[in-house]
């Protein structure tokens, strides 16, 4: 599996480099609107990349033919108990990020909840809705040292009851940036200037997920400076992984991009390992 993960990482680095164009042109928001429209057509049954039989359908049994990976149907979670076991085995803990990473406070999300962006563009934890079997978020940080600031990261894994539900999560992610280009994760934090880019399987060298979305913006903490912020969301069948990376003084953008790309790639590999036919 090690060589497999390296291949996934190489592809994701290429995709993230393409996504970095968000910071330098207005094309990011245009890409977001286009992606949202494409996903809306899926919901209404119109032809689209993922729904086209020629490109590989995404059936409701949890298979992911579009990404080149077809899970064992018997291993796809059908109950909350099985889904919790899966998300806990996939989500990154502090030690998975690399040497020096420690848990934030809080270190983990409240059980049986997920993050929802409300009408005021503030993030809230709410009870898991019908159709979401399990979800977990872990929050870690790399403490500053040697003139460098503290990097904050998060990893989230959500298991849905259907492919359609998982796909809708990515659709919502794209639409939320159009609705809320400025968001409030916590009382003393803001994320501003958000733009997003969606990339289905087969586009921009993206070969390892059925769909994925990058968001980029600036993180502003009360009384502190402004730092780069990136959120990456990827779907493989009924499972969605998400990673956020908040930069810090003295941390090059390339280092931050690599950090996020590695986490996404390794969590996708973990999903494949868990759901692959024995």
């Amino acid at each position: 599996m090690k060589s497999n993960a390296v291949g996934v990482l190489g592809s994701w680095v290429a995709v993230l480099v393409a996504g970095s164009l968000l910071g330098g042109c207005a094309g990011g928001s245009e890409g977001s609107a286009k992606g949202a429209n494409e996903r809306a057509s899926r919901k209404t049954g119109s032809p689209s990349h993922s729904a086209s039989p020629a490109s590989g359908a995404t059936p409701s049994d949890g298979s992911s033919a579009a990404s080149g990976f077809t899970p064992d149907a018997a291993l796809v979670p059908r109950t909350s108990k099985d889904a919790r076991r899966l998300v806990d085995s996939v989500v990154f803990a502090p030690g998975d990020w690399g040497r020096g990473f420690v848990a934030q406070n809080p270190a983990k999300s409240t059980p049986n909840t997920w993050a929802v962006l409300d009408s005021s563009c503030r993030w809230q934890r709410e009870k898991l809705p019908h159709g979401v079997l399990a979800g977990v978020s872990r929050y870690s940080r790399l403490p500053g040292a040697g003139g460098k600031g503290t990097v904050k990261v998060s990893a989230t894994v959500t298991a849905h009851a259907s492919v359609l539900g998982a796909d809708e999560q990515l659709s919502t992610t794209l639409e939320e940036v159009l609705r809320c280009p400025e968001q409030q994760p916590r009382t003393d934090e803001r994320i501003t200037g958000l733009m997003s880019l969606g990339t289905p399987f087969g586009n921009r060298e993206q070969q390892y997920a059925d769909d994925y979305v990058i968001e980029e913006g600036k993180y502003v903490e009360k009384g502190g400076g402004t730092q780069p912020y990136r959120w990456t969301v990827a779907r493989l069948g009924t499972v969605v992984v998400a990673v956020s990376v908040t930069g810090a003084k003295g941390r090059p953008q390339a280092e931050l991009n690599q950090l996020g790309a590695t986490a996404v790639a390794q969590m996708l590999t973990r999903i494949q390992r868990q759901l692959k036919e024995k």
Side-chain angles (χ1 to χ4, degrees):
M1 295 302 294
K2 181 178 180 180
S3 59
N4 203 12
V6 171
V8 173
L9 176 57
S11 176
W12 277 89
V13 169
V15 173
L16 288 171
V17 168
S20 68
L21 296 174
L22 286 170
C25 67
S29 57
E30 293 171 1
S32 176
K34 180 180 179 182
N37 289 336
E38 289 176 351
R39 286 159 180 75
S41 72
R42 291 185 208 171
K43 296 178 188 178
T44 58
S46 301
S48 68
H49 173 88
S50 293
S52 168
S55 61
T58 308
S60 60
D61 65 358
S63 64
S64 303
S67 64
F69 171 70
T70 301
D72 184 338
L75 299 177
V76 175
R78 303 296 182 190
T79 66
S80 295
K81 180 179 179 180
D82 289 342
R84 284 194 296 269
R85 186 182 301 114
L86 174 68
V87 299
D88 285 340
S89 69
V90 170
V91 70
F92 256 34
D96 296 319
W97 288 95
R99 182 179 301 174
F101 277 89
V102 297
Q104 291 191 50
N105 184 22
K108 191 176 180 180
S109 59
T110 303
N112 300 316
T113 67
W114 73 340
V116 176
L117 190 64
D118 68 17
S119 59
S120 299
C121 299
R122 295 177 299 184
W123 284 98
Q124 310 282 352
R125 302 292 311 183
E126 294 185 2
K127 182 180 178 180
L128 291 176
H130 177 73
V132 179
L133 299 177
V136 62
S137 296
R138 287 187 176 273
Y139 313 105
S140 307
R141 63 188 178 91
L142 179 62
K148 295 183 178 181
T150 297
V151 174
K152 297 180 180 180
V153 296
S154 72
T156 300
V157 183
T158 309
H160 293 259
S162 69
V163 168
L164 182 61
D167 184 65
E168 186 173 355
Q169 182 179 344
L170 271 79
S171 174
T172 300
T173 299
L174 278 169
E175 294 161 358
E176 284 174 341
V177 172
L178 297 175
R179 177 171 67 89
C180 295
E182 180 171 321
Q183 301 174 6
Q184 188 174 2
R186 297 180 179 84
T187 303
D188 57 350
E189 299 174 342
R190 289 184 299 123
I191 301 171
T192 65
L194 277 170
M195 293 183 289
S196 64
L197 180 70
T199 306
F201 173 78
N203 290 7
R204 301 186 187 93
E205 301 182 45
Q206 200 277 89
Q207 300 289 329
Y208 293 95
D210 294 310
D211 215 343
Y212 107 110
V213 174
I214 285 180
E215 288 186 8
E216 282 189 349
K218 296 295 183 181
Y219 170 85
V220 184
E221 189 172 16
K222 186 176 181 180
T226 299
Q227 300 296 339
Y229 171 86
R230 171 171 277 181
W231 190 24
T232 306
V233 189
R235 177 178 70 83
L236 198 59
T238 60
V239 186
V240 177
V241 302
V243 167
S244 73
V245 179
T246 301
K249 177 184 176 182
R251 305 286 186 179
Q253 188 65 52
E255 174 187 329
L256 302 174
N257 293 351
Q258 182 79 11
L259 187 64
T262 300
V264 171
Q266 291 188 1
M267 286 198 292
L268 288 175
T269 299
R270 288 179 179 183
I271 294 172
Q272 293 189 22
R273 184 183 299 144
Q274 292 288 331
L275 302 184
K276 184 177 181 180
E277 184 176 5
K278 306 301 181 183

